[in-house]
Structure formats: structure tokens, C-alpha cells
Amino acid sequence: TAAHLDCTVGVITPERTGRVEPSAATLIDSALMTSARPTADEPGRVRFARPTRADSPDPEQVRQLVLRSLPDDLLLSRLVPHYQPQVDIETGTISGYEALVRLPHPTAGLITSEPLVAAATEHNLLHELDRVMFRAVCQDIVAWREQGVALPPVSINMSPASLQLHDVVDAALTCLEECRIPGEAVMVEVTESGSADPSPTMLRHIRRLRRAGLRIALDDFGTGSANLRTLQMLPMDSLKVSRALVHGDAVVPDIGDVLRVVRDIAEMFHVRLVCEGIEEERDLAVAIALGYRHFQGWYFGGAVPAAEVPRQLSRLQRGRRLESGHLARLLDRLDPRHRSDPGHVARLLKDQLRDE
């Protein structure tokens, strides 16, 4: 008997994605997906693909790609930070940025933080991810300072696992010293779920960062298990309300009472309160009505590459900033029918804060 074999070859022609070059493993994975992609072609063909949105793999394919390539990506510094602005609606300024990890990929496009953090957790490499990101953010801060950019504080996520390790904290402080960056320029964000019962080691390291001038934020507040005792123990400067509490606020019964309690807790501990995950105007309206001032989310813009940050700040300086106390004056000038309509105020603020 004779056997007849068919062969299909996948060829990927990657485009350059800034300072990141795809690894051999990444290109091999992409070529395998190209050869396996179902099409009307008969077997025995050579299939070519260029990285386009239509070629992007599904989430499971992304997960597999990241699991395979992440160790090399970390080793070769292929991960890059993008920066999402935090806005102060009363002053109309960008009051901070959060650095979010991204991986430019030749076929999957720009891979966001969720699969990257999941893969780092599975590989037990969260501490290395935090170390690489901290240094990359410091390098961007140095570049901005050399350009004369007046920069608000930049937030960097650090896992509770990293904050248990002396060498990770040492590396962060050494990086700041080598780059001549004052500690006040950086805020470390720690997730609430990992901070509910902070160990003595973690508390010692957080206090050490704080003594060096870094600010500390408790991230995703409201969905973990932190209690008032935890908040007393942690030397915090900021609380970030979880997106799970904010997104869809306007249609969730009694959500206003929950956000009011969170606001009161922030006032009790004298910390800044940031409402993240704002995507819809109606959710922003609910938070404004409750007195929230600092916001982050797609409503005001997504995370941008480092090169875009100076331009984003410059647009506000060219006249799109709201003067201090402008929110109160806007309310005074509104038609009486709209004074109790925070959504109307939100639309005015969005016109001022976004580059249309």
C-alpha cells in the first residue's frame, strides 16, 4: 500500500513594531497558526500572512503564544509600558499615569496585560515581570525629563509576591537612584486581594519604599477582602476603586450607597480616591454626583505609548485644561434644569479633556 501525504506551509512576514523584535519562537508560533488557519485552499499550499487585525488569534491562541514566549520576552526586554491617564475633573489636568504592560506581537497585535500577567503567574515570573516593567518605566521617565516634560506621578503595579522579595525592592530603589528619579515621581500600586493580610515582610518593604519617597496605592479596592484594620496597617496615599464597582453604576441598584461608603473610607484615612474603569458617561455622572474627583478609564482615553505622553500633556497646556474650581463655575452657569444632571456636566468635561 502507498501513502500520500499533503503538506501545508505557513509563512509569516512580520512588521517591525517599534523597539521590539519578535523572537524566533514567536515567529514559529505565528507560522504554525497561519498554516493551520481554515481556508478554502486545498492541502499542499504555501500560505502567507501579514499581521493584520483579521489575522489576530482568539484569546486561547494568545494565551498559548504568551505562555511559550514570555520567558524569552522578559529576558530580552520585549515588553513595553503603555500609559493610561488619570484625570482631575476639577482642575482639568492629568493628575497621574498608570503604566500598563504590553507586548507587541507580529500577528496577535498588541497583547494587553491580562494574558501577560496570567502567564507570568503560571511561570512563577511575576517578580521578574515587575522588575522589567519598573526599569522600563524609569527609562521612559528619564527620557521625558530630558525633554523638559512636566510629568505627574506614574503608577507602577507590583504584585504582593514581589513585595515579599528583598531583591525586587532593592532593584527598584537602585533603579531610581541610577536614573536620578525622585521617589515622589513614582507610585506603587498593590492589589487589594493580595493585601488583605499583609505579612510583616511585605509591610516592611512597603514602608521602605515609602521612606524613599514613593507613594503607595491600594488597587482594585472594594472587591477584595481588605478590612479597616488592613487599611490602618498599610501606609497608603491612594485608593483605587475597582472597575467592577464602577462599570455599569448607573443601572445597578444601591450602587450609589456603596460608592458613598468607599468615598467616606477614603476621607477617613485622608487618601486620594481614584475611580478607575470609567467607560460610560452615565457611570461618570453617578460618581461626579457623589463628589468623586479623580478618574481613569476609556471614557477619557486608553493607554498610549511613551512617545504619546508629552503630546497628550501638551494638548492640555495649550488651553484644554479646566481652571481650578471650574467645575463649580460650570454648575453655576448651567440651565437650572441641568444643575442636578451630572451627565450634562460630564459631557462638558469630556469636551475639555479629550483631543477630539
Side-chain angles (χ1 to χ4, degrees):
T1 58
H4 178 73
L5 299 178
D6 289 313
C7 177
T8 301
V9 178
V11 178
I12 184 72
T13 53
E15 294 176 344
R16 292 183 179 271
T17 50
R19 64 188 183 193
V20 178
E21 294 292 340
S23 66
T26 297
L27 292 175
I28 290 170
D29 285 337
S30 302
L32 287 171
M33 287 195 303
T34 299
S35 67
R37 186 177 300 119
T39 69
D41 295 345
E42 295 177 359
R45 300 292 182 91
V46 177
R47 295 176 184 163
F48 292 85
R50 295 189 68 83
T52 65
R53 186 174 297 274
D55 291 326
S56 297
D58 62 29
E60 177 57 25
Q61 289 176 315
V62 170
R63 191 182 78 83
Q64 293 297 332
L65 286 174
V66 172
L67 276 173
R68 177 188 288 267
S69 70
L70 185 65
D72 282 345
D73 295 329
L74 286 168
L75 183 65
L76 300 174
S77 300
R78 294 194 183 101
L79 301 172
V80 297
H82 280 206
Y83 299 89
Q84 187 172 37
Q86 299 168 358
V87 301
D88 180 339
I89 57 140
E90 187 167 328
T91 64
T93 59
I94 293 175
S95 56
Y97 279 95
E98 180 180 358
L100 300 169
V101 62
R102 299 288 187 260
L103 174 63
H105 189 276
T107 55
L110 194 65
I111 298 176
T112 57
S113 57
E114 186 175 349
L116 294 169
V117 171
T121 303
E122 190 161 338
H123 281 296
N124 196 26
L125 287 172
L126 266 179
H127 61 286
E128 192 60 30
L129 174 61
D130 289 344
R131 194 198 309 263
V132 167
M133 280 294 292
F134 198 99
R135 177 159 290 278
V137 171
C138 285
Q139 290 169 348
D140 286 339
I141 292 175
V142 168
W144 292 325
R145 288 164 67 91
E146 289 175 349
Q147 297 172 45
V149 176
L151 194 70
V154 178
S155 297
I156 305 174
N157 290 279
M158 290 188 75
S159 68
S162 293
L163 290 169
Q164 300 280 0
L165 301 175
H166 185 81
D167 62 333
V168 174
V169 176
D170 272 353
L173 294 175
T174 299
C175 186
L176 289 175
E177 186 177 352
E178 290 175 350
C179 294
R180 299 183 180 179
I181 297 171
E184 294 79 7
V186 175
M187 177 175 284
V188 170
E189 293 192 11
V190 191
T191 57
E192 182 194 7
S193 58
S195 310
D197 187 20
S199 69
T201 300
M202 179 177 169
L203 286 173
R204 186 168 61 252
H205 288 159
I206 288 177
R207 292 190 183 109
R208 187 178 168 209
L209 292 171
R210 193 97 181 288
R211 284 196 301 272
L214 285 81
R215 309 177 196 192
I216 306 297
L218 187 59
D219 196 15
D220 292 330
F221 183 73
T223 57
S225 53
N227 53 38
L228 293 180
R229 175 61 180 158
T230 304
L231 299 183
Q232 275 187 317
M233 294 169 64
L234 288 172
M236 294 180 306
D237 299 278
S238 183
L239 276 181
K240 296 190 73 176
V241 183
S242 171
R243 177 185 181 278
L245 287 181
V246 176
H247 188 54
D249 280 354
V251 295
V252 177
D254 302 322
I255 194 64
D257 293 334
V258 174
L259 291 177
R260 193 174 292 108
V261 168
V262 174
R263 180 201 63 195
D264 292 345
I265 289 173
E267 291 178 356
M268 180 192 312
F269 287 96
H270 306 289
V271 297
R272 189 180 74 147
L273 187 60
V274 179
C275 215
E276 61 179 342
I278 293 291
E279 298 179 9
E280 303 291 338
E281 185 175 282
R282 57 187 182 178
D283 296 335
L284 176 61
V286 170
I288 290 175
L290 291 170
Y292 282 67
R293 171 176 173 175
H294 298 276
F295 296 93
Q296 177 181 340
W298 275 95
Y299 182 86
F300 294 106
V304 299
E308 177 61 23
V309 168
R311 289 193 289 269
Q312 202 170 57
L313 291 166
S314 177
R315 284 198 295 267
L316 290 180
Q317 292 169 354
R318 288 200 303 268
R320 285 188 174 270
R321 80 163 56 208
L322 296 173
E323 298 174 4
S324 179
H326 193 41
L327 177 60
R329 291 195 291 277
L330 277 174
L331 287 167
D332 288 340
R333 291 203 302 268
L334 286 178
D335 185 292
R337 293 170 299 175
H338 292 143
R339 285 181 188 170
S340 60
D341 177 9
H344 191 82
V345 178
R347 285 189 290 275
L348 293 176
L349 294 175
K350 181 180 179 182
D351 289 343
Q352 296 277 350
L353 290 168
R354 290 194 72 170
D355 187 51
E356 302 295 345

